[in-house]
């Protein structure tokens, strides 16, 4: 182990180009790699322990570990003006459970188990679930633990929270901005923040308001145009990773033996395909040597992403790192609230304009015999609806709106109308 001051000098050399000679830079780069490597063994031991605890706990879960990628570390050092030795998430494990309520139950259980474990110490709990973090709306529960004096981060997320996180990761790569770090068009950042708020409401058993749904849908349309015009990795949209890869990897895993395996994933965001996916051994020395070699051979600035993942069951990576597994079209970059998660999809197809008209008519109680003229509705109450004519006609065709002697909502379909707004 080297001193903290040397570790911090390594971080300054990589993040801020603070070094005297090229020879010193190479030496400090080695220090950086060694420091990152020192997290792998305590992290792997912690992940295996978590798996044992979760097996005893019961219930559905996914778990995987990762060492933070070098580009991520460098960006964080720049963005936060912190020292390398102060970072507490270089080694991390991710646990995904079905519901937000399961996160609360699991937290209590983990607190009890960590307290009984002489090798682990719980230093801090940070809960981003209620308010969301920063401007993006990131939600998860973070536990900071130490093992062998190494800080490790355990993230616990519900499937909805994880879906949101994977969605913003996927969009970031195509768009070419690190959205989770607050980089990008404010409108796109607001979209993800609003979407996160809506998901929080749904998990709490509350329905987002009609106004909130419309805001999200309008933002989605605007953001898709922004992304289309500036997408840096549009090639990924024309690819779809064959699900058969999991079968191949499972067979490879079986040959590698039971227990936690370290995998190196190299993904090419230019084409949306895997360059390689290999077991690199359980030894930290072997795993980090392969990690560093791949990072040099496949640089991030050329559109590659190199990830070191630890997993006892590689098939779960399909859930823990789903953003690598295919995007079919621009329509799938940013999805509507209703189509974002299976089970939230609406049964009826209405455009935003139609829903805005319905919302206006219900607010002003134009039901049955209480009518409004078409011109008044268009020119006064619904000036913001750019697709007014086509949207209104679609509502008339569906019989949601009646147009005899004026415009009004169909009382016979009151339940159906209220369900779609």
């Amino acid at each position: 182990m080297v001193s903290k001051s040397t570790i911090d000098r390594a971080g300054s050399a990589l993040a801020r180009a603070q070094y005297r000679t090229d020879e010193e830079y190479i030496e400090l780069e080695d220090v950086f790699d060694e420091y990152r490597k020192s997290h792998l063994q305590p992290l792997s031991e912690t992940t295996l322990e978590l798996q044992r605890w979760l097996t005893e706990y019961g219930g559905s879960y996914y778990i995987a570990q990762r060492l933070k990628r070098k580009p991520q570390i460098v960006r964080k050092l720049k963005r936060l003006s912190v020292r390398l030795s102060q970072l507490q998430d270089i080694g991390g494990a991710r646990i995904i459970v079905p519901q937000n309520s399961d996160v609360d139950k699991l937290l209590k259980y983990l607190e009890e188990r960590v307290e009984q474990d002489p090798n682990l110490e719980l230093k801090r709990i940070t809960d981003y679930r209620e308010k969301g973090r920063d401007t993006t709306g990131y939600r998860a529960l973070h536990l900071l633990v130490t093992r062998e004096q190494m800080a490790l981060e355990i993230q616990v997320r519900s499937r909805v929270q994880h879906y949101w996180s994977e969605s913003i990761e996927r969009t970031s790569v195509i768009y070419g901005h690190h959205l989770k770090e607050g980089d990008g068009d404010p409108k796109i950042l607001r979209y993800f923040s609003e979407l996160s708020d809506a998901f929080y409401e749904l998990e709490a058993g509350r329905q987002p308001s009609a106004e909130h749904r419309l805001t999200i849908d309008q933002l989605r349309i605007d953001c898709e145009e922004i992304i289309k015009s500036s997408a840096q990795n549009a090639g990924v949209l024309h690819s779809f990773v064959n699900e058969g890869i999991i079968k191949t990897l499972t067979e490879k895993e079986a040959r590698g033996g039971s227990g936690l395996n370290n995998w190196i994933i190299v993904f090419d965001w230019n084409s949306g395909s895997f360059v390689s996916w290999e077991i690199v051994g359980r030894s930290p020395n072997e795993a980090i040597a392969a990690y560093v070699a791949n990072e040099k051979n496949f640089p991030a600035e050329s559109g590659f992403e190199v990830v070191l993942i630890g997993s006892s069951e590689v098939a779960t990576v399909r859930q823990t790192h789903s953003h690598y597994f295919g995007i079919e079209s621009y329509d799938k970059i940013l999805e509507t609230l209703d189509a974002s998660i299976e089970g939230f999809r609406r049964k009826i197809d209405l455009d935003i304009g139609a829903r805005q008209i319905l919302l206006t008519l219900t607010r002003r109680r134009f039901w049955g015999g209480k009518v409004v003229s078409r011109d008044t509705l268009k020119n006064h109450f619904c000036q913001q609806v750019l697709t007014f004519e086509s949207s209104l006609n679609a509502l008339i065709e569906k019989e949601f709106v009646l147009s005899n002697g004026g415009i009004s909502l169909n009382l016979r379909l009151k339940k159906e109308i209220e369900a779609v707004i």
Side-chain angles (χ1 to χ4, degrees):
M1 292 297 293
V2 296
S3 67
K4 279 190 178 181
S5 61
T6 304
I7 292 168
D8 293 335
R9 279 174 52 215
S12 296
L14 270 66
R16 302 177 189 89
Q18 294 176 356
Y19 57 91
R20 292 184 291 269
T21 65
D22 291 343
E23 288 77 10
E24 183 187 44
Y25 179 84
I26 293 171
E27 290 176 3
L28 291 174
E29 192 174 30
D30 289 340
V31 169
F32 176 93
D33 293 334
E34 285 295 317
Y35 181 62
R36 187 167 54 155
K37 179 178 75 176
S38 66
H39 291 75
L40 186 54
Q41 186 65 34
L43 173 62
S44 298
E45 292 172 359
T46 302
T47 301
L48 288 170
E49 197 141 30
L50 287 168
Q51 285 183 315
R52 286 193 293 270
W53 294 348
L54 288 166
T55 301
E56 295 173 15
Y57 176 71
S60 175
Y61 69 90
Y62 298 107
I63 184 171
Q65 68 177 40
R66 65 97 182 98
L67 279 189
K68 207 171 191 72
R69 302 192 300 275
K70 183 180 286 187
Q72 283 183 308
I73 295 174
V74 169
R75 288 198 306 272
K76 192 166 188 176
L77 291 173
K78 289 179 178 177
R79 187 174 78 253
L80 301 181
S81 298
V82 296
R83 299 190 298 273
L84 180 57
S85 64
Q86 293 176 315
L87 294 186
Q88 299 173 330
D89 61 347
I90 292 175
R94 178 181 299 161
I95 303 171
I96 303 166
V97 293
Q99 304 289 337
N100 193 32
S101 57
D102 296 316
V103 177
D104 292 315
K105 295 173 187 174
L106 186 57
L107 170 61
K108 185 176 180 182
Y109 176 73
L110 291 177
E111 284 182 294
E112 293 172 354
R113 296 306 299 258
V114 170
E115 188 176 353
Q116 299 166 7
D117 192 320
N119 299 310
L120 286 172
E121 183 180 358
L122 180 58
K123 306 294 286 188
R124 188 174 68 242
I125 297 171
T126 308
D127 195 341
Y128 297 110
R129 290 177 298 159
E130 183 176 355
K131 295 182 179 179
R133 187 174 68 185
D134 305 325
T135 58
T136 62
Y138 170 85
R139 282 179 159 90
L141 179 73
H142 288 191
L143 285 75
L144 176 65
V145 301
T146 56
R147 189 186 201 103
E148 300 172 16
Q149 299 183 333
M150 286 294 173
L152 305 170
E153 182 181 83
I154 302 171
Q155 298 176 358
V156 187
R157 301 172 177 171
S158 70
R159 288 180 184 168
V160 172
Q161 291 157 3
H162 180 64
Y163 175 91
W164 178 94
S165 186
E166 290 287 280
S167 180
I168 197 171
E169 290 274 10
R170 174 183 67 186
T171 305
S172 293
V173 175
I174 297 168
Y175 178 39
H177 294 267
H178 302 290
L179 294 169
K180 255 191 186 178
E181 299 168 15
D183 174 38
D185 192 291
K187 189 168 282 189
I188 298 178
L189 295 173
R190 186 185 169 207
Y191 166 82
F192 278 104
S193 178
E194 296 283 355
L195 189 65
S196 176
D197 289 346
F199 285 170
Y200 180 77
E201 291 296 304
L202 287 164
E203 285 211 285
R206 300 183 291 269
Q207 286 293 322
S209 68
E211 292 90 339
H212 197 182
R213 288 177 177 272
L214 286 172
T215 296
I216 290 171
D217 282 352
Q218 187 59 61
L219 280 168
R220 176 185 57 81
I221 292 171
D222 294 343
C223 291
E224 283 181 350
E225 289 304 314
I226 295 170
I227 293 169
K228 283 181 185 180
S229 64
S230 60
Q232 294 188 14
N233 290 300
V236 74
L237 296 170
H238 306 296
S239 69
F240 192 82
V241 177
N242 192 317
E243 293 293 337
I245 192 172
I246 290 296
K247 180 180 178 182
T248 302
L249 295 174
T250 303
E251 292 170 354
K252 188 179 293 187
E253 180 181 61
R255 293 194 295 272
S258 61
L260 189 143
N261 287 303
N262 288 309
W263 295 82
I264 294 283
I265 299 173
V266 181
F267 196 81
D268 181 2
W269 284 107
N270 301 295
S271 61
S273 60
F274 291 105
V275 175
S276 67
W277 192 329
E278 297 293 337
I279 293 178
V280 291
R282 295 167 185 170
S283 143
N285 288 334
E286 186 180 347
I288 288 294
Y291 198 12
V292 171
N294 277 283
E295 285 179 326
K296 290 179 179 177
N297 291 333
F298 301 99
E301 55 267 24
S302 297
F304 295 102
E305 190 165 315
V306 180
V307 188
L308 176 62
I309 295 175
S311 177
S312 297
E313 188 179 352
V314 73
T316 64
V317 175
R318 178 65 180 85
Q319 282 74 35
T320 57
H321 295 75
S322 61
H323 64 285
Y324 295 120
F325 285 81
I327 304 164
E328 295 177 278
S329 68
Y330 272 115
D331 295 335
K332 298 295 184 182
I333 301 173
L334 301 174
E335 297 164 300
T336 63
L337 172 62
D338 307 314
S340 288
I341 299 176
E342 190 174 355
F344 296 158
R345 187 184 301 276
R346 290 192 189 282
K347 301 300 182 185
I348 189 163
D349 182 23
L350 285 179
D351 63 31
I352 291 175
R355 287 163 63 189
Q356 287 175 322
I357 292 170
L358 286 179
L359 184 61
T360 299
L361 291 172
T362 54
R363 276 181 186 157
R364 297 180 178 276
R365 302 183 182 277
F366 288 114
W367 290 95
K370 184 180 178 182
V371 300
V372 60
S373 73
R374 191 179 189 116
D375 286 344
T376 300
L377 184 63
K378 177 180 180 179
N379 298 322
H380 295 280
F381 297 147
C382 293
Q383 294 180 47
Q384 79 282 10
V385 180
L386 301 178
T387 59
F388 179 85
E389 294 295 341
S390 60
S391 296
L392 181 61
N393 289 337
L395 291 171
I396 293 171
E397 287 178 11
K398 294 179 185 296
E399 298 185 354
F400 280 8
V401 166
L402 304 176
S403 59
N404 298 324
I407 301 298
S408 66
L409 294 166
N410 190 342
L411 265 174
R412 291 188 298 106
L413 299 180
K414 191 172 188 292
K415 286 186 178 180
E416 290 88 338
I417 291 169
E418 289 175 343
V420 299
I421 58 172

